[in-house]
Amino acid sequence: MTATKGLEGIVAAASSISSIIDGVLTYRGINIDDLAENASFEEVAYLLWYGKLPNRAELNQLQQQLDEYAVIPQQVIDQIKLYPNGTNSMAALRSAVSSLALYDEEANDMSAEANQRKAIKLQAKLPTVVAAFARIREGKEPVAPKKGVSIAYNFLYMLTGEEPAEVAVKALDQALVLHADHELNASTFAARVTVATLSDIYSGVTSAIGALKGPLHGGANEAVMVMLEEIGSFDNVESYINNALANKVKIMGFGHRVYKNGDPRAKHLQHMSKELGKLKGNMDLFNMSVKIEELVTGQKGLKPNVDFYSASVYTNLGIQRDLFTPIFAISRVSGWTAHILEQYQDNRLIRPRADYVGPSNVKYVPIEDR
């Protein structure tokens, strides 16, 4: 046996949910460009779960289910209020999602129908959890979700307590579409490994959130914003980036394990960043980002990935940077749960082998002789 570090290039599962072929990302065979330009996030979630785009009646039914399940138990809100000051937002989300299982009477019901309902419940509740955490840590009471509005609208409304602008809702909705699924990424693989033991869907999503928390996965967009804040202004971009590249410092938000010719999602987020900058009357973040891209791509040949421009998009939406990765989770839970449902349908325990490289033929030495 020979180990493949990071399982790079290893095909570990057959899936009909999403694909990355020759640099083209599709959900259920539909190009991400087509979905980003035309579909709502709710349509995309339905597509991932059911394998087809919904008709009007099916979309209305899904909206009603999302409305019904969006409220989270008071006990979970009370738990969030007990989290220590400075709690990491992804740690808070991981803990809250795990606890949601305690208040779901179907948590251990492994029927296909119950698991499908739990997928919708998780999709409905994650935005409420993230918004509640964001407000509670500021000493504010959570805002209850509205009915009959999109997930993007509801999240911005619950976060601020104010009706969001149409352009802000559209921008967030498109960002959710772009992040919804991405083949067998680290967090999705973690979810599938967990439920392959026939553990429950809440355990699978909790595992996925733990994987997404890392800066080499979901945390990259937050790291991009940290970099932009450190640079400070457009005039400092060139010296900062040149110095970082000269010292072999990794520039977050560039390059991708799978995409060799650029992430197809990045251009949509770049456009959103530009439009939101115009709306706010402040193009600083966008202009800095474009200059960074020019320098990094020009010198290293690396192109921006989905994380790079999402940092300025979320910041221009007035969202604190430590909520970037939880928003990623709000979107990706649609893909996680689709993969979990697929794993249940044709399950086999995921149990790879390791290439042992330690010592051999070692004899036990009694403790008195050590």
Side-chain angles (χ1 to χ4, degrees):
M1 296 186 296
T2 302
T4 301
K5 194 171 183 180
L7 298 181
E8 184 171 0
I10 299 297
V11 177
S15 176
S16 63
I17 297 170
S18 67
S19 68
I20 305 169
I21 300 172
D22 296 330
V24 177
L25 172 63
T26 71
Y27 298 166
R28 301 286 190 180
I30 304 177
N31 191 298
I32 191 61
D33 292 338
D34 199 4
L35 292 169
E37 292 165 8
N38 299 297
S40 69
F41 176 61
E42 287 77 8
E43 288 179 280
V44 166
Y46 190 100
L47 172 68
L48 294 173
W49 291 328
Y50 297 103
K52 69 181 187 71
L53 289 168
N55 60 33
R56 179 60 61 187
E58 290 165 335
L59 186 58
N60 288 342
Q61 182 181 24
L62 176 60
Q63 183 65 60
Q64 290 170 5
Q65 291 175 300
L66 292 168
D67 287 346
E68 178 185 352
Y69 297 140
V71 175
I72 59 176
Q74 182 61 43
Q75 295 95 324
V76 174
I77 293 175
D78 292 340
Q79 173 188 308
I80 294 171
K81 289 180 177 179
L82 294 175
Y83 292 165
N85 290 336
T87 293
N88 178 278
S89 58
M90 284 296 285
L93 179 61
R94 182 187 61 211
S95 299
V97 167
S98 181
S99 69
L100 285 175
L102 305 177
Y103 305 101
D104 185 347
E105 66 282 358
E106 293 188 307
N108 296 311
D109 184 342
M110 296 297 286
S111 68
E113 296 78 13
N115 281 328
Q116 182 63 67
R117 284 190 294 271
K118 284 179 279 186
I120 299 172
K121 289 175 184 177
L122 281 159
Q123 182 63 77
K125 293 181 189 300
L126 254 69
T128 312
V129 168
V130 174
F133 169 73
R135 289 183 66 84
I136 287 169
R137 69 178 179 179
E138 294 178 354
K140 302 173 183 176
E141 282 298 310
V143 174
K146 277 194 166 191
K147 291 187 176 183
V149 298
S150 69
I151 286 172
Y153 184 107
N154 231 346
F155 177 71
L156 293 172
Y157 168 72
M158 290 187 291
L159 195 63
T160 64
E162 300 174 356
E163 307 291 331
E166 183 179 348
V167 66
V169 174
K170 182 178 179 181
L172 181 57
D173 187 76
Q174 192 176 54
L176 296 177
V177 168
L178 293 168
H179 285 93
D181 196 57
H182 205 236
E183 203 218 39
L184 209 58
N185 56 86
S187 55
T188 298
F189 188 59
R192 293 190 75 137
V193 169
T194 296
V195 302
T197 69
L198 295 185
S199 190
D200 64 284
I201 194 168
Y202 287 97
S203 296
V205 170
T206 301
S207 295
I209 292 170
L212 189 68
K213 180 175 179 289
L216 294 184
H217 190 11
N221 52 15
E222 184 178 342
V224 171
M225 197 59 226
V226 170
M227 176 181 68
L228 289 169
E229 290 173 355
E230 287 177 350
I231 293 173
S233 70
F234 183 86
D235 292 340
N236 298 331
V237 170
E238 192 159 358
S239 60
Y240 181 99
I241 297 299
N242 286 340
N243 183 62
L245 292 176
N247 288 284
K248 301 186 186 312
V249 175
K250 181 177 176 62
I251 308 296
M252 299 303 289
F254 284 85
H256 198 280
R257 176 77 66 86
V258 178
Y259 299 116
K260 304 308 179 186
N261 294 310
D263 188 329
R265 302 166 294 177
K267 62 181 177 291
H268 298 285
L269 289 158
Q270 182 190 48
H271 177 71
M272 277 189 279
S273 176
K274 184 177 183 179
E275 293 305 305
L276 287 169
K278 289 179 181 177
L279 178 69
K280 288 185 63 107
N282 186 341
M283 300 294 289
D284 290 353
L285 288 177
F286 175 76
N287 291 334
M288 289 168 65
S289 299
V290 170
K291 184 63 176 178
I292 293 168
E293 177 184 355
E294 176 188 314
L295 291 167
V296 175
T297 302
Q299 295 185 43
K300 303 293 290 183
L302 296 173
K303 296 183 179 181
N305 56 41
V306 71
D307 298 304
F308 185 65
Y309 282 101
S310 65
S312 54
V313 166
Y314 294 150
T315 300
N316 280 327
L317 288 172
I319 297 169
Q320 293 175 310
R321 73 165 187 252
D322 74 328
L323 296 180
F324 293 177
T325 310
I327 292 172
F328 195 149
I330 288 170
S331 169
R332 186 57 60 83
V333 72
S334 60
W336 291 334
T337 50
H339 279 269
I340 287 170
L341 295 173
E342 185 178 65
Q343 185 69 38
Y344 284 147
Q345 288 169 3
D346 184 25
N347 187 55
R348 182 173 174 82
L349 180 69
I350 298 172
R351 202 293 189 191
R353 299 293 305 279
D355 181 14
Y356 179 70
V357 295
S360 59
N361 299 317
V362 179
K363 302 296 183 182
Y364 176 80
V365 178
I367 194 167
E368 294 81 5
D369 298 333
R370 291 178 213 159

